[in-house]
Each structure stands twice: as structure tokens, then as C-alpha cells.
Amino acid sequence: MKKLVVLLGIVLLFITGCSNDTFNKAVEQGKLAIASKEYDKALASFQLALDEKKDDKDTKTLYEQTKEMVQAIKSQSDSKVDDAIKSFEQVEKTSGGSDTLKMQAKDAREALVAQKQKQDQYNNQLAKADELKGNQKYAEAKDILNTIVTETKDKDYLKAINQKATEMITAIDQEVAKVESDKAAAEAKKKEEEAKVADAVKQKQQQQQQQVAFTGEQAVSYAKKKYDDSNGDTLYSYSTDVKEENGKKYYQVFLKSKSMQQAGGNGNLFFVKVFEDGTIIE
């Protein structure tokens, strides 16, 4: 009986020794994984250690701290910047746990905060450029946007801002082209209207010149052209006063016969109205 008790003690000691060895090895592997920033591997190691010793507080703390770090990195990957910053802070504030993990979380948080500040800075510049664009200050807006594109082109975390700035430059170029096109069309239309006005003025001046130039002699020439004076018997005369009818000027032109006058008559044949446009009414 005494030998049996001793044997059971040896077996329990062996089992306990093996269990402790597995536990210690898992914890050590977890810490090494943290040092190399293999957080998923560290989490699995700490879980294995807890399977051996479920009530070990230090290991539970390491597990929860590492789990929070994994969550922080996932939030950062999903562009949930504020959530990531909070998780990194939680890792730093852990009571106990891994000092290495705390330093890693601190560095990650500070880098992320700096990135967020940079993003806010560029977003403010984008807003300013958009305001300048709205006020048609295209050159000033493009200066800001070109600077943003140059400064953000090689930074992955600023990729969305780079793309936005590039799209705004394209939009400005299109808007400028449209403004210039509209301006050219307006100028062409203005020139066309000015040409029409000039033509109208010219026509009016010509009409006025024609009206001023219309004389009794011209009225007689219109009459001679119509009634022919090849035999030299017709005498033409005109009234001294120019008259007007339906907005058009005319002279009375009198036609007389020389032969009839020589025969003792007054020689009157007829008279006509000769208008400035050459129209003749008997």
C-alpha cells in the first residue's frame, strides 16, 4: 500500500512537471511572438497556456492585452482610425501584461495620430481648394491641389486624398475649358451683333445719303428713262418743292411738247410723280 502511494506521487509529479513545461513553453513562445509582432501567433500561444492553467491571471492579462492589439490592427486596416487609436490606448493602459506590447502600441498609436493629423490637414486644404474653385479662382485652387498630389503620391494612407485632389484638378480643367468656350461663344455673338448693328447703321446712312442726293434733276432722269426723249420734242421740268407720300419723297415732273408750243398751245402733255426709288405714277 505504501509503495502504491509513492508510485502515484511519482506519476502526479511527472504529470505536473509536464504540464508546467507546456505552460511555460507556450507563455515564452507568446512573448517571443510579441517581440516579432506576430500577434495572432502570440494569441494562440497564450490560449494554449491557459488551456493548461485556466486561472493564471498573468497569462489572462497577456491574452486580453494581445487580443486588444489584434483588434487595434484590424480597425486600422479597416480605416477605422478612431477605433484603432482607442484600442492602442487600451493596450498601453493595461495593468501588468507585456511592456514590449505597450511600447509597440504606443508607437503605433502615435504614428496613427500623426497620420490622422496629416489627413485632417490635407482635407482642410481640399476644402479650401474647393472653395476657391467655387469662386472661380482656378489658378489658386490648382496650386493647392498640385502641391497635395505631389506630397501624397507615395503615401498609401493618403491615397484617397491624392485621388480626390487629382479628380478636382481634372474637374477644374474641364470647368476652365467650358468657361473659355462660353466666353469665346459670347464674344463671337457680340461681334456678330455689333456687325449687324454696323450694317444697319450703314444701310441707314446710305438711305439718308440717297434721300439727300435725290434731286429734281434725278427725278427728270428717271422720267426720261421711262418715256424716252429720242426725238427731242419733249420738254421736262419739275416742281421746286420735294414732296412726300407714304414716307417716300417725290417730285412732280411735267412733260411738254415743243411742237405743240410752237403751234401756239401751252404744250402740256401730262405730269407724273417720280419717287426717290425710281417709281413713277402718272
Side-chain angles (χ1 to χ4, degrees), residues 6-220:
V6 172
L7 181 61
L8 288 173
I10 293 172
V11 170
L12 288 172
L13 182 62
F14 177 78
I15 293 173
T16 302
C18 289
S19 177
N20 286 337
D21 184 58
T22 301
F23 171 82
N24 291 333
K25 186 175 181 180
V27 170
E28 186 62 26
Q29 287 178 341
K31 291 179 178 179
L32 289 173
I34 286 175
S36 60
K37 299 183 179 181
E38 298 176 281
Y39 303 117
D40 288 332
K41 184 177 179 180
L43 200 61
S45 295
F46 294 139
Q47 181 62 64
L48 179 61
L50 287 172
D51 288 342
E52 296 297 326
K53 290 186 177 182
K54 294 182 173 58
D55 297 329
D56 190 89
K57 292 181 179 180
D58 291 339
T59 305
K60 281 184 178 180
T61 300
L62 285 169
Y63 177 84
E64 294 298 331
Q65 187 185 27
T66 305
K67 184 179 179 182
E68 193 68 42
M69 190 69 168
V70 171
Q71 180 58 48
I73 293 171
K74 182 178 184 305
S75 295
Q76 183 177 359
S77 177
D78 293 339
S79 298
K80 296 177 180 179
V81 178
D82 292 334
D83 290 344
I85 290 174
K86 288 179 182 178
S87 291
F88 285 132
E89 288 176 342
Q90 189 63 40
V91 173
E92 292 179 72
K93 293 176 181 178
T94 301
S95 178
S98 168
D99 290 337
T100 300
L101 197 57
K102 290 177 183 180
M103 289 300 298
Q104 291 171 347
K106 179 176 180 294
D107 291 341
R109 176 183 59 77
E110 289 178 348
L112 195 57
V113 168
Q115 290 180 4
K116 186 174 184 295
Q117 289 174 345
K118 207 69 176 175
Q119 287 173 333
D120 291 342
Q121 174 189 335
Y122 284 122
N123 280 323
N124 289 334
Q125 291 180 5
L126 286 174
K128 183 177 179 180
D130 190 53
E131 181 180 355
L132 289 170
K133 173 178 172 288
N135 293 327
Q136 296 186 341
K137 296 181 179 180
Y138 301 118
E140 295 177 46
K142 284 191 69 175
D143 284 343
I144 293 174
L145 294 170
N146 285 325
T147 300
I148 292 174
V149 169
T150 301
E151 293 180 356
T152 62
K153 64 180 180 180
D154 297 325
K155 297 179 177 63
D156 288 339
Y157 74 95
L158 296 174
K159 184 177 180 180
I161 289 175
N162 181 278
Q163 183 177 352
K164 177 66 175 177
T166 302
E167 290 173 352
M168 287 181 68
I169 290 173
T170 300
I172 287 175
D173 288 340
Q174 292 174 343
E175 194 166 323
V176 168
K178 184 178 184 304
V179 168
E180 291 177 350
S181 176
D182 291 345
K183 183 179 178 180
E187 289 178 353
K189 185 177 180 180
K190 181 180 178 181
K191 288 180 179 179
E192 183 181 353
E193 291 175 348
E194 288 175 348
K196 288 180 179 179
V197 171
D199 287 343
V201 170
K202 185 178 180 180
Q203 289 177 1
K204 186 174 182 180
Q205 289 174 343
Q206 289 175 344
Q207 290 173 354
Q208 289 174 343
Q209 290 173 355
Q210 290 173 353
Q211 290 172 354
V212 170
F214 184 55
T215 62
E217 288 81 2
Q218 188 173 6
V220 169

Side-chain angles (χ1 to χ4, degrees), residues 232-235 256-263 267:
D233 184 61
T234 307
L235 296 173
K256 294 184 179 182
S257 170
K258 292 181 182 179
S259 58
M260 290 176 63
Q261 287 180 338
Q262 291 173 355

Side-chain angles (χ1 to χ4, degrees), residues 224-237:
K224 284 183 177 181
K225 185 176 180 180
K226 179 175 181 179
Y227 296 110
D228 188 20
D229 188 30
S230 58
N231 59 9
D233 184 61
T234 307
L235 296 173
Y236 292 85
S237 63

